[in-house]
Amino acid sequence: KPHAIMATKLVSMDEVRKHNTVKDCWIVFYDKVYDISGFLPEHPGGIPIIAAHAGKDATAIFEQIHPKTMLAILPKASYLGDIDKSTVNPTDFSKTGRDENVKIPAIDQLLNTFDFKAAASKCMASQGWNYYISGAEDEIA
């Protein structure tokens, strides 16, 4: 019995841009298009943080907080197809807020957690840094 080759559906960025509201929220992560409208109320970080990136490629924002494997929690039906890269414009990407002029130090120059913290405070976008630092200063963990 021959194996069937399933073609991946391509979704244009023009279509993704149309779905940019809380009630109709499509987002691109890692070149894959998701309809996350139903997931928004379940998101532990709240609706506004995701809704701000509706209709865009939010991979860079997602990577600041979550591992790629976190996408596995989305319902399989939320995956709509792969983005048609030929339809993507530079303005379709959510900005991280990271200052691209700040050089990230080499890992071998960071000797302890204090060095990592100092580097992260300079290199991370404020949104990601604020998220991490909120739980990193309890002096218990």
Side-chain angles (χ1 to χ4, degrees), residues 49-69:
I49 194 70
I50 296 180
H53 305 287
K56 292 186 170 258
D57 183 319
T59 303
I61 301 296
F62 183 86
E63 287 179 326
Q64 290 181 341
I65 308 296
H66 306 295
K68 187 176 183 178
T69 55

Side-chain angles (χ1 to χ4, degrees), residues 2-136:
H3 294 280
I5 297 175
M6 300 272 304
T8 303
K9 179 182 177 188
L10 286 181
V11 180
S12 78
M13 198 65 202
D14 295 329
E15 185 62 30
V16 173
R17 283 186 218 107
K18 295 176 189 175
H19 303 273
N20 60 6
T21 67
V22 171
K23 294 185 188 273
D24 185 19
C25 183
W26 289 16
I27 293 187
V28 178
F29 297 120
Y30 302 98
D31 298 326
K32 304 210 175 292
V33 180
Y34 296 90
D35 177 352
I36 59 169
S37 308
F39 174 74
L40 286 178
E42 299 175 32
H43 183 247
I47 293 172
I49 194 70
I50 296 180
H53 305 287
K56 292 186 170 258
D57 183 319
T59 303
I61 301 296
F62 183 86
E63 287 179 326
Q64 290 181 341
I65 308 296
H66 306 295
K68 187 176 183 178
T69 55
M70 186 65 75
L71 291 171
I73 69 166
L74 293 175
K76 292 202 183 304
S78 67
Y79 169 69
L80 302 175
D82 289 358
I83 194 69
D84 179 351
K85 293 180 186 181
S86 70
T87 63
V88 178
N89 298 320
T91 56
D92 292 320
F93 295 90
S94 290
K95 304 292 183 231
T96 64
R98 182 185 174 290
D99 183 350
E100 299 297 330
N101 296 317
V102 175
K103 184 179 177 205
I104 297 174
I107 192 80
D108 62 359
Q109 294 180 3
L110 305 175
L111 303 177
N112 55 45
T113 56
F114 296 109
D115 291 346
F116 277 95
K117 180 179 175 182
S121 70
K122 295 175 189 163
C123 297
M124 289 184 71
S126 61
Q127 183 179 6
W129 172 248
N130 290 336
Y131 173 80
Y132 282 119
I133 198 67
S134 67

Side-chain angles (χ1 to χ4, degrees), residues 133-141:
I133 198 67
S134 67
E137 292 292 302
D138 63 6
E139 302 297 330
I140 296 171

